[in-house]
Amino acid sequence: MLHLRLIVPPDRTEAAVRLIERTVGTTHLVVLPGAARDPAGDLVLCDVAREAGDELLHGIRELRIDEDGSIAVENIDFSLSKRADAAEEEAPGEAADAVIWEQLTEATHEESTLTITYAAFMILATMIAACGVVLDNAVLIVGAMAVGPEFGPLAGVCTAVVQRHAKLAVRSLSALLIGFAAAIVATTVFSLGMDALDLFSVEQLDADRPNTSFIWQPDPFSFVVAVLAGIAGVLSLTSSKSGALVGVAISVTTVPAGANAAVALSYGQFSQMWGSVEQLMLNLFGIMLAGVLTLYAQKLLWRTQRGHWVRPTKR
């Protein structure tokens, strides 16, 4: 269930309440006239089944309440109410399959912002991966994949394409490209420093490396895995299964490919560098393609169900 807290201009309270009452899956409606002070208006509270949440938010935004008032949405982790149980039963579909598009846009906007923290995680993840490729250590590679924050901007690009949100697309692509560029440059310098300390060597990079040589040798499976990971990642974002993102992070070789490119560049091993860049681009493209197609499929499913979110008018 979702909990909605609305500050509604008094001239639109009746319309908002009517919309809530007619939307299936809603309950616990509370109206407090004149309770809000900043901005001034009526306070309207209600709970809604996640399956019906997006349609209700769409209707509320059409009343321009987000412009002249306020819309806040919270997840209800635990609720004891027969009315809430009945509302969830009334709403078509399952909560795990529901997509709250406004929530997705807001989440990806936050995760795809280029910040010092984001850049730091990218650089640190790539440096860890650099140690992994030189030492041929799969544990370090997996750890670097888990640390890397690159899926946020990737999801932001996918959401921006489907929602036709130009600003989000620019923000996400900037974070993705600048983040990887900064990480590769920093890791190249890091590799040179490690070489000066005799901790890295070109012989280690040129060795067979059975555990990590796949990073700079892309094959059809690289694209297949990226597509599958993209689907899983988007589904985890749009549903309540957010824990799956960890599995997505450690299934694609984006950060390790960037790290291998940086180390190869520091030693002038351009064949490995270009192979790593190809692996990186293949993974990024596969994830974004799968993510966009998955979101379009979910949007199509949502549109086919829109007619079920309104209760029949009582006579």
Side-chain angles (χ1 to χ4, degrees):
M1 294 287 288
L2 301 174
H3 177 68
L4 272 63
R5 185 181 72 249
L6 312 176
I7 297 177
V8 185
D11 62 321
R12 274 163 271 176
T13 300
E14 184 179 349
V17 170
R18 188 163 55 246
L19 173 65
I20 293 169
E21 289 176 336
R22 294 195 64 231
T23 301
V24 299
T26 57
T27 188
H28 303 155
L29 175 61
V30 177
V31 181
L32 301 174
R37 292 292 180 266
D38 184 19
D42 301 333
L43 182 63
V44 178
L45 309 174
C46 74
D47 295 339
V48 59
R50 182 180 174 86
E51 306 92 294
D54 190 73
E55 182 66 17
L56 179 57
L57 284 172
H58 179 76
I60 291 172
R61 292 200 66 183
E62 286 187 337
L63 295 174
R64 295 182 295 107
I65 292 174
D66 56 319
E67 298 177 13
D68 303 320
S70 171
I71 303 172
V73 182
E74 299 173 338
N75 286 310
I76 300 176
D77 295 324
F78 183 67
S79 174
L80 294 175
S81 168
K82 290 185 177 180
R83 296 292 297 270
D85 294 341
E88 288 187 316
E89 288 291 330
E90 184 183 29
E94 297 293 333
D97 297 331
V99 181
I100 311 298
W101 291 98
E102 296 293 340
Q103 186 181 53
L104 176 63
T105 300
E106 184 65 25
T108 52
H109 180 278
E110 181 179 347
E111 293 295 324
S112 61
T113 301
L114 182 61
T115 62
I116 293 175
T117 301
Y118 169 84
F121 272 115
M122 280 294 299
I123 292 170
L124 292 171
T126 309
M127 288 180 176
I128 294 171
C131 296
V133 298
V134 171
L135 298 175
D136 194 36
N137 189 315
V139 174
L140 291 176
I141 294 297
V142 171
M145 291 176 177
V147 172
E150 74 280 7
F151 191 80
L154 287 169
V157 172
C158 298
T159 304
V161 170
V162 176
Q163 295 291 83
R164 299 180 182 179
H165 198 310
K167 289 184 179 180
L168 178 59
V170 172
R171 180 187 295 269
S172 301
L173 285 173
S174 297
L176 191 66
L177 297 178
I178 295 174
F180 268 109
I184 290 173
V185 169
T187 304
T188 301
V189 176
F190 171 75
S191 177
L192 292 171
M194 294 292 280
D195 180 76
L197 295 172
D198 292 327
L199 297 175
F200 282 8
S201 69
V202 68
E203 289 77 20
Q204 289 174 300
L205 186 67
D206 289 336
D208 289 339
R209 292 194 289 148
N211 293 321
T212 58
S213 61
F214 70 93
I215 291 172
W216 62 277
Q217 296 174 333
D219 56 28
F221 279 104
S222 301
F223 182 73
V224 171
V225 172
V227 168
L228 296 176
I231 296 172
V234 167
L235 289 176
S236 70
L237 282 178
T238 57
S239 69
S240 56
K241 310 297 182 182
S242 58
L245 274 178
V246 177
V248 173
I250 62 176
S251 62
V252 289
T253 54
T254 49
V255 166
N260 202 90
V263 177
L265 176 62
S266 71
Y267 286 114
Q269 301 291 317
F270 296 112
S271 62
Q272 277 205 41
M273 184 193 74
W274 288 118
S276 301
V277 170
E278 183 181 350
Q279 177 79 272
L280 176 60
M281 293 296 105
L282 194 64
N283 276 271
L284 294 179
F285 175 72
I287 292 172
M288 287 190 286
L289 176 64
V292 169
L293 293 178
T294 301
L295 286 176
Y296 269 124
Q298 290 180 295
K299 198 166 191 176
L300 179 62
L301 178 63
W302 174 73
R303 284 178 176 174
T304 61
Q305 295 180 340
R306 284 190 68 174
H308 300 288
W309 303 128
V310 178
R311 291 189 180 100
T313 303
K314 294 181 180 180
R315 296 183 179 179

